[in-house]
Amino acid sequence: MRAVIVREHGPAGAQRVETTPDPAPGHGEVVIDARAIGVNYPDLLVIEGRYQFLPPRPFSPGKEVAGVVSAVGPGVTRFRPGDRVMSQREYGTYAEKTLSPEATCYRLPDTLGFEEGAALGLAYQTSHFALVERGGYRTGETVLVTGASGGVGLAGVEIAKALGATVIAGVTSADKGELARRHGADHVIDLKAPKLRDSLREQVYAAVGKRGVDIVLENVGGEVFDGALRALAWCGRMVVVGFASMRLPEVKANYLLLKNIAAVGLQWSDYREREPVWVQRVQAELYALWSEGKLRPYVSERYPLERFAEALACFVERRVRGKMVLLP
Ligand SMILES: NC(=O)c1ccc[n+]([C@@H]2O[C@H](COP(=O)([O-])OP(=O)(O)OC[C@H]3O[C@@H](n4cnc5c(N)ncnc54)[C@H](OP(=O)(O)O)[C@@H]3O)[C@@H](O)[C@H]2O)c1
């Protein structure tokens, strides 16, 4: 099979698509023939060697794939060859075939296409866990999503709206704001406004009143984090999801005390590894919301596997809207 292989960490594009042996399923594993491969910001960090978990080299990057089961190992009970599935992995999906444990494999609804299926995975799981589990969302609360036009952010907007929240989308341009509105945002704020540390809160207050927001799903870091923390309501919760700006923020503990607020983090892949049944349950909920028309994964770009570096360049150049997929 063909696969992107990382032999040395470095800039995306320095790696080649190589021919490697087809994987053979071990106990409890399935082989998936890829039809669409989800592209995620962490893929870039893994390739460059800047991510918190790095696989032993050489390896194939990539964290999600939708496709068709072509082989199953002993002990597999839920799948058989021919099944349409999506899988979440720590790495290994930038390939024509992916080996996946049965536990992190999810059957695709019959009418969900492979591209949307590959998009309705990591980003949606991340935002769902951030909102519901880490953020302790209660129906009707107000939720601010930063980086709302990106993969995780747009999923967060859709999920929060689907669960009955008033949603504020933080974006950096008018057209990205329109995109967020089309996917459920009630209000849009400008993350490029000057003096964001104060102006973010002013924009939130103008949108929903001086109470502020109950939950922030924070994907950006830096000044966006600083401003969003100040926009929290009494007993609000800041959920740290990512640092797309590459700037790590800091919190003064007295501020948490003074406002009765909480700052918590989310590392979704821990749930995938430690709580696969829970993650399966959330995936079923995501599919149910999708079948009700409440989630609409937006695949904005498609690239052949060989052009993976062009897809990853969109993260660096800040051109991402929703999700991108690779087509093997
Ligand atoms: N915690 C977890 O388990 C988990 C799981 C998956 C991803 N993540 C992290 O979540 C973050 C988002 O991932 P993603 O896949 O959604 O990436 P993405 O598609 O590139 O989205 C990033 C978003 O952040 C915005 N952004 C970037 N720099 C910004 C800045 N300086 N100021 C304001 N907005 C800025 C982008 O807006 P513009 O396009 O306008 O710049 C975009 O909307 C990343 O840090 C990723 O590593 C965490």
Side-chain angles (χ1 to χ4, degrees), residues 167-204:
V167 183
I168 307 174
V171 297
T172 60
S173 70
D175 65 312
K176 288 175 181 176
E178 274 315 303
L179 175 66
R181 279 192 196 277
R182 285 201 297 281
H183 286 261
D186 300 289
H187 306 277
V188 171
I189 63 169
D190 178 11
L191 299 186
K192 272 201 163 156
K195 302 195 177 121
L196 214 48
R197 199 179 160 89
D198 295 317
S199 65
L200 193 155
R201 176 167 59 184
E202 286 156 17
Q203 294 184 73
V204 164

PDB file of all heavy atoms in Angstrom, residues 167-204:
ATOM      1  N   VAL A 167     -24.916  30.673  21.386  1.00  0.00           N
ATOM      2  CA  VAL A 167     -23.532  30.468  20.958  1.00  0.00           C
ATOM      3  C   VAL A 167     -22.928  31.762  20.406  1.00  0.00           C
ATOM      4  O   VAL A 167     -23.507  32.407  19.532  1.00  0.00           O
ATOM      5  CB  VAL A 167     -23.451  29.372  19.876  1.00  0.00           C
ATOM      6  CG1 VAL A 167     -21.986  29.118  19.490  1.00  0.00           C
ATOM      7  CG2 VAL A 167     -24.104  28.089  20.356  1.00  0.00           C
ATOM      8  N   ILE A 168     -21.751  32.108  20.931  1.00  0.00           N
ATOM      9  CA  ILE A 168     -20.981  33.227  20.396  1.00  0.00           C
ATOM     10  C   ILE A 168     -19.745  32.632  19.713  1.00  0.00           C
ATOM     11  O   ILE A 168     -19.033  31.824  20.327  1.00  0.00           O
ATOM     12  CB  ILE A 168     -20.506  34.189  21.502  1.00  0.00           C
ATOM     13  CG1 ILE A 168     -21.688  34.630  22.362  1.00  0.00           C
ATOM     14  CG2 ILE A 168     -19.787  35.386  20.899  1.00  0.00           C
ATOM     15  CD1 ILE A 168     -21.266  35.472  23.553  1.00  0.00           C
ATOM     16  N   ALA A 169     -19.526  33.025  18.466  1.00  0.00           N
ATOM     17  CA  ALA A 169     -18.367  32.522  17.724  1.00  0.00           C
ATOM     18  C   ALA A 169     -17.305  33.605  17.674  1.00  0.00           C
ATOM     19  O   ALA A 169     -17.580  34.732  17.271  1.00  0.00           O
ATOM     20  CB  ALA A 169     -18.782  32.127  16.307  1.00  0.00           C
ATOM     21  N   GLY A 170     -16.082  33.265  18.071  1.00  0.00           N
ATOM     22  CA  GLY A 170     -14.951  34.181  17.960  1.00  0.00           C
ATOM     23  C   GLY A 170     -14.159  33.843  16.706  1.00  0.00           C
ATOM     24  O   GLY A 170     -13.642  32.719  16.579  1.00  0.00           O
ATOM     25  N   VAL A 171     -14.085  34.797  15.762  1.00  0.00           N
ATOM     26  CA  VAL A 171     -13.427  34.557  14.470  1.00  0.00           C
ATOM     27  C   VAL A 171     -12.552  35.757  14.104  1.00  0.00           C
ATOM     28  O   VAL A 171     -12.558  36.772  14.817  1.00  0.00           O
ATOM     29  CB  VAL A 171     -14.469  34.334  13.340  1.00  0.00           C
ATOM     30  CG1 VAL A 171     -15.309  33.093  13.604  1.00  0.00           C
ATOM     31  CG2 VAL A 171     -15.364  35.554  13.199  1.00  0.00           C
ATOM     32  N   THR A 172     -11.862  35.656  12.963  1.00  0.00           N
ATOM     33  CA  THR A 172     -10.946  36.751  12.601  1.00  0.00           C
ATOM     34  C   THR A 172     -11.329  37.469  11.315  1.00  0.00           C
ATOM     35  O   THR A 172     -10.584  38.325  10.854  1.00  0.00           O
ATOM     36  CB  THR A 172      -9.503  36.223  12.456  1.00  0.00           C
ATOM     37  OG1 THR A 172      -9.507  35.228  11.433  1.00  0.00           O
ATOM     38  CG2 THR A 172      -8.971  35.655  13.752  1.00  0.00           C
ATOM     39  N   SER A 173     -12.455  37.122  10.709  1.00  0.00           N
ATOM     40  CA  SER A 173     -12.878  37.870   9.513  1.00  0.00           C
ATOM     41  C   SER A 173     -14.385  37.739   9.351  1.00  0.00           C
ATOM     42  O   SER A 173     -15.007  36.828   9.919  1.00  0.00           O
ATOM     43  CB  SER A 173     -12.167  37.352   8.249  1.00  0.00           C
ATOM     44  OG  SER A 173     -12.643  36.072   7.928  1.00  0.00           O
ATOM     45  N   ALA A 174     -14.942  38.648   8.550  1.00  0.00           N
ATOM     46  CA  ALA A 174     -16.399  38.660   8.367  1.00  0.00           C
ATOM     47  C   ALA A 174     -16.878  37.378   7.691  1.00  0.00           C
ATOM     48  O   ALA A 174     -17.896  36.802   8.078  1.00  0.00           O
ATOM     49  CB  ALA A 174     -16.793  39.873   7.540  1.00  0.00           C
ATOM     50  N   ASP A 175     -16.134  36.899   6.699  1.00  0.00           N
ATOM     51  CA  ASP A 175     -16.624  35.690   6.009  1.00  0.00           C
ATOM     52  C   ASP A 175     -16.529  34.466   6.919  1.00  0.00           C
ATOM     53  O   ASP A 175     -17.384  33.578   6.867  1.00  0.00           O
ATOM     54  CB  ASP A 175     -15.889  35.494   4.672  1.00  0.00           C
ATOM     55  CG  ASP A 175     -14.418  35.205   4.861  1.00  0.00           C
ATOM     56  OD1 ASP A 175     -13.773  35.942   5.631  1.00  0.00           O
ATOM     57  OD2 ASP A 175     -13.914  34.247   4.261  1.00  0.00           O
ATOM     58  N   LYS A 176     -15.530  34.431   7.791  1.00  0.00           N
ATOM     59  CA  LYS A 176     -15.459  33.315   8.744  1.00  0.00           C
ATOM     60  C   LYS A 176     -16.608  33.432   9.754  1.00  0.00           C
ATOM     61  O   LYS A 176     -17.148  32.431  10.226  1.00  0.00           O
ATOM     62  CB  LYS A 176     -14.099  33.284   9.442  1.00  0.00           C
ATOM     63  CG  LYS A 176     -12.998  32.811   8.487  1.00  0.00           C
ATOM     64  CD  LYS A 176     -11.608  32.874   9.068  1.00  0.00           C
ATOM     65  CE  LYS A 176     -10.599  32.393   8.017  1.00  0.00           C
ATOM     66  NZ  LYS A 176      -9.208  32.504   8.445  1.00  0.00           N
ATOM     67  N   GLY A 177     -17.002  34.662  10.067  1.00  0.00           N
ATOM     68  CA  GLY A 177     -18.165  34.873  10.924  1.00  0.00           C
ATOM     69  C   GLY A 177     -19.440  34.371  10.266  1.00  0.00           C
ATOM     70  O   GLY A 177     -20.280  33.737  10.916  1.00  0.00           O
ATOM     71  N   GLU A 178     -19.582  34.626   8.966  1.00  0.00           N
ATOM     72  CA  GLU A 178     -20.752  34.142   8.231  1.00  0.00           C
ATOM     73  C   GLU A 178     -20.813  32.616   8.270  1.00  0.00           C
ATOM     74  O   GLU A 178     -21.866  32.015   8.425  1.00  0.00           O
ATOM     75  CB  GLU A 178     -20.713  34.636   6.780  1.00  0.00           C
ATOM     76  CG  GLU A 178     -21.322  36.003   6.593  1.00  0.00           C
ATOM     77  CD  GLU A 178     -22.658  36.140   7.325  1.00  0.00           C
ATOM     78  OE1 GLU A 178     -23.570  35.334   7.049  1.00  0.00           O
ATOM     79  OE2 GLU A 178     -22.784  37.013   8.190  1.00  0.00           O
ATOM     80  N   LEU A 179     -19.622  32.006   8.082  1.00  0.00           N
ATOM     81  CA  LEU A 179     -19.557  30.542   8.135  1.00  0.00           C
ATOM     82  C   LEU A 179     -20.057  30.045   9.499  1.00  0.00           C
ATOM     83  O   LEU A 179     -20.879  29.125   9.578  1.00  0.00           O
ATOM     84  CB  LEU A 179     -18.110  30.079   7.898  1.00  0.00           C
ATOM     85  CG  LEU A 179     -17.845  28.579   8.045  1.00  0.00           C
ATOM     86  CD1 LEU A 179     -18.571  27.779   6.962  1.00  0.00           C
ATOM     87  CD2 LEU A 179     -16.337  28.283   7.980  1.00  0.00           C
ATOM     88  N   ALA A 180     -19.575  30.686  10.567  1.00  0.00           N
ATOM     89  CA  ALA A 180     -19.994  30.272  11.916  1.00  0.00           C
ATOM     90  C   ALA A 180     -21.495  30.475  12.102  1.00  0.00           C
ATOM     91  O   ALA A 180     -22.180  29.632  12.698  1.00  0.00           O
ATOM     92  CB  ALA A 180     -19.209  31.055  12.965  1.00  0.00           C
ATOM     93  N   ARG A 181     -22.022  31.559  11.567  1.00  0.00           N
ATOM     94  CA  ARG A 181     -23.471  31.786  11.679  1.00  0.00           C
ATOM     95  C   ARG A 181     -24.246  30.700  10.942  1.00  0.00           C
ATOM     96  O   ARG A 181     -25.245  30.186  11.452  1.00  0.00           O
ATOM     97  CB  ARG A 181     -23.848  33.155  11.097  1.00  0.00           C
ATOM     98  CG  ARG A 181     -23.607  34.308  12.045  1.00  0.00           C
ATOM     99  CD  ARG A 181     -24.267  35.572  11.501  1.00  0.00           C
ATOM    100  NE  ARG A 181     -23.753  36.752  12.161  1.00  0.00           N
ATOM    101  CZ  ARG A 181     -24.188  37.216  13.331  1.00  0.00           C
ATOM    102  NH1 ARG A 181     -25.147  36.585  13.976  1.00  0.00           N
ATOM    103  NH2 ARG A 181     -23.658  38.297  13.862  1.00  0.00           N
ATOM    104  N   ARG A 182     -23.776  30.330   9.747  1.00  0.00           N
ATOM    105  CA  ARG A 182     -24.469  29.279   8.980  1.00  0.00           C
ATOM    106  C   ARG A 182     -24.480  27.962   9.738  1.00  0.00           C
ATOM    107  O   ARG A 182     -25.347  27.117   9.520  1.00  0.00           O
ATOM    108  CB  ARG A 182     -23.801  29.081   7.612  1.00  0.00           C
ATOM    109  CG  ARG A 182     -24.104  30.167   6.596  1.00  0.00           C
ATOM    110  CD  ARG A 182     -23.853  29.677   5.176  1.00  0.00           C
ATOM    111  NE  ARG A 182     -22.471  29.323   4.902  1.00  0.00           N
ATOM    112  CZ  ARG A 182     -21.496  30.204   4.633  1.00  0.00           C
ATOM    113  NH1 ARG A 182     -21.774  31.486   4.592  1.00  0.00           N
ATOM    114  NH2 ARG A 182     -20.269  29.794   4.402  1.00  0.00           N
ATOM    115  N   HIS A 183     -23.483  27.794  10.626  1.00  0.00           N
ATOM    116  CA  HIS A 183     -23.412  26.536  11.378  1.00  0.00           C
ATOM    117  C   HIS A 183     -23.961  26.680  12.800  1.00  0.00           C
ATOM    118  O   HIS A 183     -23.718  25.815  13.638  1.00  0.00           O
ATOM    119  CB  HIS A 183     -21.980  26.000  11.354  1.00  0.00           C
ATOM    120  CG  HIS A 183     -21.626  25.412  10.015  1.00  0.00           C
ATOM    121  ND1 HIS A 183     -21.659  24.064   9.757  1.00  0.00           N
ATOM    122  CD2 HIS A 183     -21.302  26.011   8.843  1.00  0.00           C
ATOM    123  CE1 HIS A 183     -21.341  23.851   8.487  1.00  0.00           C
ATOM    124  NE2 HIS A 183     -21.120  25.022   7.913  1.00  0.00           N
ATOM    125  N   GLY A 184     -24.667  27.773  13.065  1.00  0.00           N
ATOM    126  CA  GLY A 184     -25.411  27.830  14.325  1.00  0.00           C
ATOM    127  C   GLY A 184     -25.078  28.952  15.274  1.00  0.00           C
ATOM    128  O   GLY A 184     -25.755  29.103  16.300  1.00  0.00           O
ATOM    129  N   ALA A 185     -24.045  29.762  14.989  1.00  0.00           N
ATOM    130  CA  ALA A 185     -23.689  30.820  15.937  1.00  0.00           C
ATOM    131  C   ALA A 185     -24.788  31.882  15.985  1.00  0.00           C
ATOM    132  O   ALA A 185     -25.295  32.312  14.948  1.00  0.00           O
ATOM    133  CB  ALA A 185     -22.361  31.457  15.532  1.00  0.00           C
ATOM    134  N   ASP A 186     -25.158  32.288  17.194  1.00  0.00           N
ATOM    135  CA  ASP A 186     -26.151  33.356  17.360  1.00  0.00           C
ATOM    136  C   ASP A 186     -25.481  34.721  17.257  1.00  0.00           C
ATOM    137  O   ASP A 186     -26.100  35.696  16.845  1.00  0.00           O
ATOM    138  CB  ASP A 186     -26.810  33.232  18.737  1.00  0.00           C
ATOM    139  CG  ASP A 186     -27.509  31.892  18.894  1.00  0.00           C
ATOM    140  OD1 ASP A 186     -28.542  31.688  18.242  1.00  0.00           O
ATOM    141  OD2 ASP A 186     -26.989  31.048  19.656  1.00  0.00           O
ATOM    142  N   HIS A 187     -24.222  34.793  17.695  1.00  0.00           N
ATOM    143  CA  HIS A 187     -23.481  36.060  17.701  1.00  0.00           C
ATOM    144  C   HIS A 187     -22.059  35.777  17.224  1.00  0.00           C
ATOM    145  O   HIS A 187     -21.555  34.657  17.393  1.00  0.00           O
ATOM    146  CB  HIS A 187     -23.404  36.657  19.110  1.00  0.00           C
ATOM    147  CG  HIS A 187     -24.746  36.808  19.760  1.00  0.00           C
ATOM    148  ND1 HIS A 187     -25.578  37.870  19.529  1.00  0.00           N
ATOM    149  CD2 HIS A 187     -25.400  35.992  20.636  1.00  0.00           C
ATOM    150  CE1 HIS A 187     -26.691  37.734  20.233  1.00  0.00           C
ATOM    151  NE2 HIS A 187     -26.607  36.599  20.913  1.00  0.00           N
ATOM    152  N   VAL A 188     -21.443  36.818  16.674  1.00  0.00           N
ATOM    153  CA  VAL A 188     -20.055  36.683  16.218  1.00  0.00           C
ATOM    154  C   VAL A 188     -19.246  37.815  16.827  1.00  0.00           C
ATOM    155  O   VAL A 188     -19.704  38.964  16.848  1.00  0.00           O
ATOM    156  CB  VAL A 188     -19.989  36.754  14.672  1.00  0.00           C
ATOM    157  CG1 VAL A 188     -18.552  36.850  14.191  1.00  0.00           C
ATOM    158  CG2 VAL A 188     -20.674  35.534  14.055  1.00  0.00           C
ATOM    159  N   ILE A 189     -18.058  37.495  17.329  1.00  0.00           N
ATOM    160  CA  ILE A 189     -17.159  38.561  17.797  1.00  0.00           C
ATOM    161  C   ILE A 189     -15.842  38.480  17.037  1.00  0.00           C
ATOM    162  O   ILE A 189     -15.478  37.423  16.511  1.00  0.00           O
ATOM    163  CB  ILE A 189     -16.908  38.509  19.328  1.00  0.00           C
ATOM    164  CG1 ILE A 189     -16.208  37.207  19.725  1.00  0.00           C
ATOM    165  CG2 ILE A 189     -18.206  38.705  20.095  1.00  0.00           C
ATOM    166  CD1 ILE A 189     -15.699  37.227  21.151  1.00  0.00           C
ATOM    167  N   ASP A 190     -15.136  39.615  17.008  1.00  0.00           N
ATOM    168  CA  ASP A 190     -13.930  39.759  16.189  1.00  0.00           C
ATOM    169  C   ASP A 190     -12.683  39.534  17.044  1.00  0.00           C
ATOM    170  O   ASP A 190     -12.389  40.331  17.946  1.00  0.00           O
ATOM    171  CB  ASP A 190     -13.928  41.179  15.581  1.00  0.00           C
ATOM    172  CG  ASP A 190     -12.694  41.438  14.743  1.00  0.00           C
ATOM    173  OD1 ASP A 190     -11.944  40.476  14.454  1.00  0.00           O
ATOM    174  OD2 ASP A 190     -12.467  42.615  14.385  1.00  0.00           O
ATOM    175  N   LEU A 191     -11.963  38.470  16.742  1.00  0.00           N
ATOM    176  CA  LEU A 191     -10.748  38.179  17.515  1.00  0.00           C
ATOM    177  C   LEU A 191      -9.534  38.941  16.983  1.00  0.00           C
ATOM    178  O   LEU A 191      -8.421  38.734  17.452  1.00  0.00           O
ATOM    179  CB  LEU A 191     -10.468  36.667  17.513  1.00  0.00           C
ATOM    180  CG  LEU A 191     -11.546  35.781  18.136  1.00  0.00           C
ATOM    181  CD1 LEU A 191     -11.083  34.330  18.193  1.00  0.00           C
ATOM    182  CD2 LEU A 191     -11.937  36.260  19.541  1.00  0.00           C
ATOM    183  N   LYS A 192      -9.776  39.781  16.000  1.00  0.00           N
ATOM    184  CA  LYS A 192      -8.679  40.629  15.522  1.00  0.00           C
ATOM    185  C   LYS A 192      -8.811  42.046  16.073  1.00  0.00           C
ATOM    186  O   LYS A 192      -8.002  42.920  15.738  1.00  0.00           O
ATOM    187  CB  LYS A 192      -8.688  40.685  13.995  1.00  0.00           C
ATOM    188  CG  LYS A 192      -7.897  39.553  13.362  1.00  0.00           C
ATOM    189  CD  LYS A 192      -7.515  39.917  11.951  1.00  0.00           C
ATOM    190  CE  LYS A 192      -6.415  39.023  11.437  1.00  0.00           C
ATOM    191  NZ  LYS A 192      -6.449  38.979   9.973  1.00  0.00           N
ATOM    192  N   ALA A 193      -9.812  42.290  16.902  1.00  0.00           N
ATOM    193  CA  ALA A 193     -10.022  43.628  17.464  1.00  0.00           C
ATOM    194  C   ALA A 193      -8.797  44.023  18.292  1.00  0.00           C
ATOM    195  O   ALA A 193      -8.165  43.168  18.927  1.00  0.00           O
ATOM    196  CB  ALA A 193     -11.273  43.627  18.344  1.00  0.00           C
ATOM    197  N   PRO A 194      -8.442  45.332  18.297  1.00  0.00           N
ATOM    198  CA  PRO A 194      -7.303  45.751  19.121  1.00  0.00           C
ATOM    199  C   PRO A 194      -7.592  45.588  20.610  1.00  0.00           C
ATOM    200  O   PRO A 194      -8.761  45.535  21.006  1.00  0.00           O
ATOM    201  CB  PRO A 194      -7.123  47.233  18.748  1.00  0.00           C
ATOM    202  CG  PRO A 194      -8.305  47.633  17.937  1.00  0.00           C
ATOM    203  CD  PRO A 194      -9.048  46.406  17.517  1.00  0.00           C
ATOM    204  N   LYS A 195      -6.546  45.491  21.392  1.00  0.00           N
ATOM    205  CA  LYS A 195      -6.634  45.370  22.858  1.00  0.00           C
ATOM    206  C   LYS A 195      -7.627  44.278  23.274  1.00  0.00           C
ATOM    207  O   LYS A 195      -8.553  44.511  24.057  1.00  0.00           O
ATOM    208  CB  LYS A 195      -7.032  46.707  23.481  1.00  0.00           C
ATOM    209  CG  LYS A 195      -6.054  47.823  23.141  1.00  0.00           C
ATOM    210  CD  LYS A 195      -6.285  49.013  24.060  1.00  0.00           C
ATOM    211  CE  LYS A 195      -5.283  50.098  23.779  1.00  0.00           C
ATOM    212  NZ  LYS A 195      -5.822  51.358  23.387  1.00  0.00           N
ATOM    213  N   LEU A 196      -7.400  43.089  22.757  1.00  0.00           N
ATOM    214  CA  LEU A 196      -8.347  41.982  22.933  1.00  0.00           C
ATOM    215  C   LEU A 196      -8.594  41.639  24.405  1.00  0.00           C
ATOM    216  O   LEU A 196      -9.678  41.186  24.768  1.00  0.00           O
ATOM    217  CB  LEU A 196      -7.797  40.757  22.202  1.00  0.00           C
ATOM    218  CG  LEU A 196      -8.798  39.815  21.562  1.00  0.00           C
ATOM    219  CD1 LEU A 196      -9.824  40.562  20.732  1.00  0.00           C
ATOM    220  CD2 LEU A 196      -8.076  38.802  20.714  1.00  0.00           C
ATOM    221  N   ARG A 197      -7.586  41.849  25.215  1.00  0.00           N
ATOM    222  CA  ARG A 197      -7.701  41.539  26.639  1.00  0.00           C
ATOM    223  C   ARG A 197      -8.957  42.193  27.225  1.00  0.00           C
ATOM    224  O   ARG A 197      -9.639  41.607  28.054  1.00  0.00           O
ATOM    225  CB  ARG A 197      -6.442  42.076  27.336  1.00  0.00           C
ATOM    226  CG  ARG A 197      -6.152  41.485  28.665  1.00  0.00           C
ATOM    227  CD  ARG A 197      -4.849  42.139  29.162  1.00  0.00           C
ATOM    228  NE  ARG A 197      -4.747  41.997  30.590  1.00  0.00           N
ATOM    229  CZ  ARG A 197      -4.170  40.954  31.177  1.00  0.00           C
ATOM    230  NH1 ARG A 197      -3.679  39.980  30.472  1.00  0.00           N
ATOM    231  NH2 ARG A 197      -4.107  40.891  32.496  1.00  0.00           N
ATOM    232  N   ASP A 198      -9.283  43.407  26.787  1.00  0.00           N
ATOM    233  CA  ASP A 198     -10.516  44.074  27.236  1.00  0.00           C
ATOM    234  C   ASP A 198     -11.609  44.054  26.171  1.00  0.00           C
ATOM    235  O   ASP A 198     -12.774  43.884  26.481  1.00  0.00           O
ATOM    236  CB  ASP A 198     -10.219  45.540  27.601  1.00  0.00           C
ATOM    237  CG  ASP A 198      -9.287  45.616  28.788  1.00  0.00           C
ATOM    238  OD1 ASP A 198      -9.504  44.847  29.749  1.00  0.00           O
ATOM    239  OD2 ASP A 198      -8.326  46.401  28.741  1.00  0.00           O
ATOM    240  N   SER A 199     -11.210  44.201  24.911  1.00  0.00           N
ATOM    241  CA  SER A 199     -12.232  44.366  23.871  1.00  0.00           C
ATOM    242  C   SER A 199     -12.997  43.075  23.613  1.00  0.00           C
ATOM    243  O   SER A 199     -14.135  43.109  23.152  1.00  0.00           O
ATOM    244  CB  SER A 199     -11.616  44.885  22.570  1.00  0.00           C
ATOM    245  OG  SER A 199     -10.726  43.940  22.028  1.00  0.00           O
ATOM    246  N   LEU A 200     -12.414  41.935  23.947  1.00  0.00           N
ATOM    247  CA  LEU A 200     -13.167  40.690  23.768  1.00  0.00           C
ATOM    248  C   LEU A 200     -14.378  40.693  24.705  1.00  0.00           C
ATOM    249  O   LEU A 200     -15.514  40.416  24.307  1.00  0.00           O
ATOM    250  CB  LEU A 200     -12.261  39.478  24.031  1.00  0.00           C
ATOM    251  CG  LEU A 200     -12.814  38.126  23.583  1.00  0.00           C
ATOM    252  CD1 LEU A 200     -11.680  37.144  23.302  1.00  0.00           C
ATOM    253  CD2 LEU A 200     -13.770  37.517  24.579  1.00  0.00           C
ATOM    254  N   ARG A 201     -14.120  41.053  25.974  1.00  0.00           N
ATOM    255  CA  ARG A 201     -15.225  41.093  26.948  1.00  0.00           C
ATOM    256  C   ARG A 201     -16.282  42.126  26.540  1.00  0.00           C
ATOM    257  O   ARG A 201     -17.474  41.852  26.646  1.00  0.00           O
ATOM    258  CB  ARG A 201     -14.678  41.411  28.339  1.00  0.00           C
ATOM    259  CG  ARG A 201     -15.793  41.569  29.364  1.00  0.00           C
ATOM    260  CD  ARG A 201     -15.285  41.565  30.777  1.00  0.00           C
ATOM    261  NE  ARG A 201     -14.318  42.620  31.046  1.00  0.00           N
ATOM    262  CZ  ARG A 201     -13.671  42.771  32.197  1.00  0.00           C
ATOM    263  NH1 ARG A 201     -13.873  41.905  33.177  1.00  0.00           N
ATOM    264  NH2 ARG A 201     -12.821  43.755  32.391  1.00  0.00           N
ATOM    265  N   GLU A 202     -15.830  43.275  26.060  1.00  0.00           N
ATOM    266  CA  GLU A 202     -16.802  44.304  25.642  1.00  0.00           C
ATOM    267  C   GLU A 202     -17.695  43.773  24.527  1.00  0.00           C
ATOM    268  O   GLU A 202     -18.910  44.002  24.523  1.00  0.00           O
ATOM    269  CB  GLU A 202     -16.057  45.564  25.167  1.00  0.00           C
ATOM    270  CG  GLU A 202     -15.448  46.358  26.319  1.00  0.00           C
ATOM    271  CD  GLU A 202     -14.269  47.232  25.875  1.00  0.00           C
ATOM    272  OE1 GLU A 202     -14.128  47.466  24.648  1.00  0.00           O
ATOM    273  OE2 GLU A 202     -13.485  47.645  26.749  1.00  0.00           O
ATOM    274  N   GLN A 203     -17.106  43.037  23.601  1.00  0.00           N
ATOM    275  CA  GLN A 203     -17.910  42.480  22.497  1.00  0.00           C
ATOM    276  C   GLN A 203     -18.896  41.432  23.018  1.00  0.00           C
ATOM    277  O   GLN A 203     -20.040  41.359  22.576  1.00  0.00           O
ATOM    278  CB  GLN A 203     -17.005  41.841  21.452  1.00  0.00           C
ATOM    279  CG  GLN A 203     -16.105  42.813  20.717  1.00  0.00           C
ATOM    280  CD  GLN A 203     -15.310  42.081  19.634  1.00  0.00           C
ATOM    281  OE1 GLN A 203     -15.862  41.697  18.613  1.00  0.00           O
ATOM    282  NE2 GLN A 203     -14.029  41.888  19.861  1.00  0.00           N
ATOM    283  N   VAL A 204     -18.442  40.621  23.964  1.00  0.00           N
ATOM    284  CA  VAL A 204     -19.339  39.605  24.552  1.00  0.00           C
ATOM    285  C   VAL A 204     -20.492  40.289  25.280  1.00  0.00           C
ATOM    286  O   VAL A 204     -21.663  39.908  25.119  1.00  0.00           O
ATOM    287  CB  VAL A 204     -18.552  38.677  25.509  1.00  0.00           C
ATOM    288  CG1 VAL A 204     -19.496  37.881  26.416  1.00  0.00           C
ATOM    289  CG2 VAL A 204     -17.666  37.726  24.715  1.00  0.00           C
TER     290      VAL A 204
END
